[in-house]
Amino acid sequence: MADFSIRAAAASDAAAIVSLLKELAVYEKLLDSFGLTEDLVRRDMLGAACHSDLALVKDEPVAVATWYWTYKSFAPRRGLFIEDLYVRAAFRGRGLGKGLLAHLARRACDAGGLLEWQVLDWNKPSIDFYESLGASAAPQWLSYRLEGEYLERLAS
């Protein structure tokens, strides 16, 4: 039996979610763009814009997955997009990351869908982990983003 549990996050978990995702931002060298607050977690990350699930060891949140539903109109089927997956360093190698992914895979299967996520191209430990599960990079697709001045320019 696993020595951890997984559950949907609640409003009372906002501080833990911010803390875990801030650690992820440090790991990904993206702390300068980190702006998440507890209020934003409560507003957006508990089922409104996205969902947050926590892995707990002895009731302590030590891993987080944030995710939301997408839809593939050509397929047609639902997709579960994992925005963030993070396990605190001291708890890695205990099956928490795989447990969170299995938890989300069950949701995707129940919806007749698929799992998708992104990984930074330099993050070899994560890439190796994902490939060990049978995941592969989506062929022919590149991620693009429009934000800031260019987003405002297009919107005007």
Side-chain angles (χ1 to χ4, degrees):
M1 177 179 239
D3 67 340
F4 62 91
S5 60
I6 296 173
R7 66 167 172 78
S12 59
D13 296 312
I17 292 169
V18 170
S19 177
L20 288 161
L21 292 179
K22 189 171 187 177
E23 289 177 31
L24 175 60
V26 169
Y27 175 76
E28 291 183 336
K29 303 172 182 72
L30 296 171
L31 187 58
D32 60 326
S33 63
F34 186 81
L36 187 64
T37 65
E38 292 180 35
D39 287 337
L40 292 173
V41 167
R42 285 187 287 272
R43 184 188 77 185
D44 296 334
M45 301 183 74
L46 303 174
C50 75
H51 304 267
S52 299
D53 292 338
L54 296 168
L56 300 101
V57 173
K58 298 180 182 174
D59 295 325
E60 176 190 353
V62 297
V64 64
T66 64
W67 60 275
Y68 54 89
W69 289 108
T70 62
Y71 193 78
K72 304 301 179 192
S73 54
F74 289 9
R77 61 185 170 162
R78 291 179 90 177
L80 191 155
F81 188 87
I82 304 167
E83 181 65 26
D84 302 298
L85 178 67
Y86 179 72
V87 178
R88 285 199 164 129
F91 294 90
R92 292 182 191 148
R94 294 171 59 173
L96 282 87
K98 187 174 182 180
L100 279 166
L101 285 174
H103 169 78
L104 296 176
R106 280 189 292 281
R107 285 185 172 272
C109 284
D110 289 348
L114 54 89
L115 283 180
E116 291 184 306
W117 63 90
Q118 296 174 323
V119 62
L120 292 165
D121 61 1
W122 57 261
N123 192 345
K124 184 148 175 48
S126 292
I127 291 168
D128 291 346
F129 169 62
Y130 299 142
E131 289 179 353
S132 78
L133 300 174
S136 60
Q140 302 175 356
W141 293 97
L142 302 173
S143 294
Y144 278 82
R145 178 176 294 156
L146 189 62
E147 60 187 344
E149 166 190 345
Y150 297 103
L151 176 66
E152 291 175 20
R153 184 182 308 160
L154 181 61
S156 62

